[in-house]
Amino acid sequence: MVKVYAVDIRDIDFAPQWLKFVSGHKRQRFYGMRDSQSMNPTLIGDLLIRFLAIQYLGVSNQNLLFKTTEFGKPYLAESNQPFHFNLSHSGHWVVCAIDQSPVGIDVQLMEPIDFNLAKNVLPLPAYRHYLNLPPAQQLGYFYDLWTRRESMLKLTGQGLSDPMADPIDQLEKQSMYFKYYKLEPEYRLAACALSNQFESALLHVDVIGMVRDLSKSLQM
């Protein structure tokens, strides 16, 4: 069952003590980041996947070892059971999808776009449909396709063979499935998986509770 978790990080300030939960390599990376707006979602994403791995695998935080594939996709190494995940963040939201098989997820704050971007990104049939929509519906349609496509790219970890292919066609050809989740009106969120078994609703995680559970894990 694909589960999608969301963390609202608005009004959440970086706490230096949270760095004790991440690896030494990540800790050094965070020390080099001076912009808290960039650091917060990245760090919260790291804490979120550790929190979820502990819950699902019954291991301590210290025993979690993360690596990346040759394409840069992170994964949990040396796990005693299948545990796949993917992270995304935009605006004041950090989201994570987990499953026993590869998954992808993408969240986007819907910022204004111009016609050139839509023309360059959307397949021709989708772009024509975009142009025929009422202006009030164009932005939502664009980000629906954008998040779906990005979630597919992130599932594979290496991109699609044809980056301009129609996402719907690619889903059918590669036996992938996707689901949209409601977050806030100005956001779009899509998850992609190899099965059609998705949790029906988002699961929200509180930052303070997450940090509390991670602290308990250090005592295991």
Side-chain angles (χ1 to χ4, degrees):
M1 176 72 72
V2 180
K3 297 180 182 292
V4 176
Y5 295 82
V7 181
D8 186 348
I9 62 171
R10 79 186 112 191
D11 303 324
I12 298 296
D13 293 324
F14 166 72
Q17 61 267 31
W18 293 350
L19 290 175
K20 66 184 177 183
F21 300 121
V22 304
S23 67
H25 173 74
K26 280 287 186 72
R27 200 173 300 131
Q28 291 300 319
R29 176 185 172 190
F30 285 124
Y31 282 144
M33 298 174 67
R34 298 182 180 181
D35 181 4
S36 62
Q37 290 185 341
S38 299
M39 179 185 296
N40 272 354
T42 305
L43 176 58
I44 294 299
D46 198 296
L47 299 184
L48 176 59
I49 193 56
R50 288 176 175 275
F51 166 77
L52 295 175
I54 290 168
Q55 300 296 315
Y56 279 85
L57 302 177
V59 299
S60 66
N61 186 43
Q62 298 95 312
N63 291 330
L64 296 175
L65 175 62
F66 294 93
K67 295 183 178 181
T68 57
T69 68
E70 60 180 308
F71 301 104
K73 183 178 181 179
Y75 68 95
L76 180 61
E78 302 178 9
S79 175
N80 58 4
Q81 56 184 295
F83 184 83
H84 294 265
F85 67 92
N86 196 231
L87 290 157
S88 181
H89 65 81
S90 183
H92 58 79
W93 288 100
V94 176
V95 297
C96 178
I98 64 170
D99 192 22
Q100 293 185 336
S101 300
V103 290
I105 193 167
D106 190 57
V107 62
Q108 293 290 333
L109 173 62
M110 295 194 297
E111 299 178 324
I113 63 168
D114 59 34
F115 288 109
N116 287 332
L117 177 60
K119 184 177 181 180
N120 291 333
V121 170
L122 298 178
L124 184 56
Y127 178 63
R128 288 173 176 167
H129 181 68
Y130 166 86
L131 292 177
N132 290 327
L133 287 172
Q137 298 178 23
Q138 288 179 334
L139 196 64
Y141 176 75
F142 173 84
Y143 278 101
D144 279 343
L145 290 185
W146 179 271
T147 54
R148 180 165 58 185
R149 179 177 178 273
E150 287 299 303
S151 69
M152 293 170 58
L153 288 167
K154 295 177 70 177
L155 183 154
T156 64
Q158 54 185 310
L160 301 175
S161 58
D162 181 1
M164 295 305 294
D166 187 328
I168 297 177
D169 288 342
Q170 289 295 306
L171 284 170
E172 295 174 348
K173 291 176 182 177
Q174 301 188 32
S175 298
M176 296 181 188
Y177 304 86
F178 79 94
K179 179 177 175 62
Y180 291 121
Y181 286 89
K182 291 184 178 180
L183 195 57
E184 290 181 312
E186 64 271 27
Y187 285 83
R188 287 294 187 270
L189 169 59
C192 185
L194 299 180
S195 76
N196 201 22
Q197 300 297 313
F198 291 89
E199 188 75 33
S200 60
L202 280 174
L203 301 167
H204 290 266
V205 177
D206 173 68
V207 172
I208 301 304
M210 179 173 67
V211 170
R212 182 180 61 245
D213 284 1
L214 285 170
S215 297
K216 292 178 180 177
S217 175
L218 290 180
Q219 303 170 9
M220 293 174 62

